[in-house]
Amino acid sequence: MANHPPPPPLSDAPLAPGLYLVATPIGNLRDITLRALDVLNAADLVLAEDTRVTAKLLTAYGLKKKLLRYDEHSAERSGPQALDLIAEGGRVAQVSDAGTPLVSDPGLHLARQAIAAGLPVFPIPGASAALAALTIAGLPSDRFLFAGFPPPKSAARKTWLAEMAHLRATLIFFEGGPRLAASLADMAGIFGPDRPAAVARELTKLYETCIRGTLAELAANPKLDAPKGEIVVLVGPGAEVASTLADADAALREALTRLAPGEAASEVAKALGLNRRELYRQALAMKDPK
């Protein structure tokens, strides 16, 4: 049986009052950060999406803390308690079941309330399923959009996907196993069957997998027909769409409200891939239409 190293010593530095948004492991408990452990240890209260899940994490590192459930059903009750505690000088740590709080979970409402009340809010970064999947997908990572969970019904999902069809960015989605095959089929229909994509499942866990291929190949893959576990779907950038004269005209008029003609022409030329000299002449004509 493997010997596991003991938990690292925790910092005894004082923790300032405020709301701490603490990222937790997405599967492998060893992915907790040292700073996250420091914050959880020093917090007066830990808000958890599911207190049973968070209790297991705390127990693994020998921590005993007061836990309070915070989800869409309990936010109206536990949120004010947490804000009152912070206002009195307390330290509140907020965690989700896995990954970074506020990313596809109800924590955003509390963070907004704390900000509106002038209370300190601190990020404690760490694991993120979206970013972990992006690093192994083999798709462009210089520009990406995290879109969360698609709508559950096909008609609404297709309309929603169509809004992103031509974005020049890798698209990142969360999806549940029972809807995965239907979502992949809709993505193939909206984005195109040959669009490169990847499906990452159970990241950092024992059965971690990442299947890469075109959307058509993934939609037809029997291994992706209602698989179990946490799933991230990534779709490569859309094809570049040629800009029209109408696009250039509208973009120039908007840019001229902020910039001189030369700067406006440069900005639009770079954004739309058009000739700067022609855009400059057009900008001058718009500025002085004689």
Side-chain angles (χ1 to χ4, degrees), residues 190-257:
I190 298 298
F191 298 145
D194 297 326
R195 191 96 159 245
V199 175
R201 187 180 71 87
E202 293 291 85
L203 290 169
T204 78
K205 300 178 184 178
L206 180 62
Y207 297 106
E208 173 181 290
T209 59
C210 184
I211 300 177
R212 306 166 186 87
T214 65
L215 280 171
E217 291 169 342
L218 295 177
N221 191 327
K223 293 181 179 179
L224 300 179
D225 184 13
K228 296 180 180 179
E230 305 294 328
I231 298 165
V232 185
V233 180
L234 306 98
V235 180
E240 188 171 359
V241 178
S243 299
T244 66
L245 292 176
D247 294 330
D249 185 80
L252 264 182
R253 291 187 186 281
E254 190 283 326
L256 284 170
T257 65

Side-chain angles (χ1 to χ4, degrees), residues 94-114:
Q94 182 174 4
V95 301
S96 61
D97 287 349
T100 302
L102 278 65
V103 178
S104 285
D105 78 29
L108 177 60
H109 185 58
L110 183 63
R112 282 180 168 173
Q113 288 179 316

Side-chain angles (χ1 to χ4, degrees), residues 115-176:
I115 292 168
L119 300 174
V121 179
F122 304 100
I124 309 299
S128 166
L131 294 181
L134 181 65
T135 61
I136 64 170
L139 298 170
S141 58
D142 56 331
R143 182 185 296 180
F144 56 89
L145 170 70
F146 173 69
F149 284 93
K153 301 295 185 180
S154 181
R157 186 164 56 232
K158 288 177 179 177
T159 300
W160 184 75
L161 292 171
E163 297 175 0
M164 298 174 265
H166 297 295
L167 290 180
R168 298 289 296 158
T170 293
L171 307 176
I172 305 175
F173 307 94
F174 288 164
E175 187 54 286

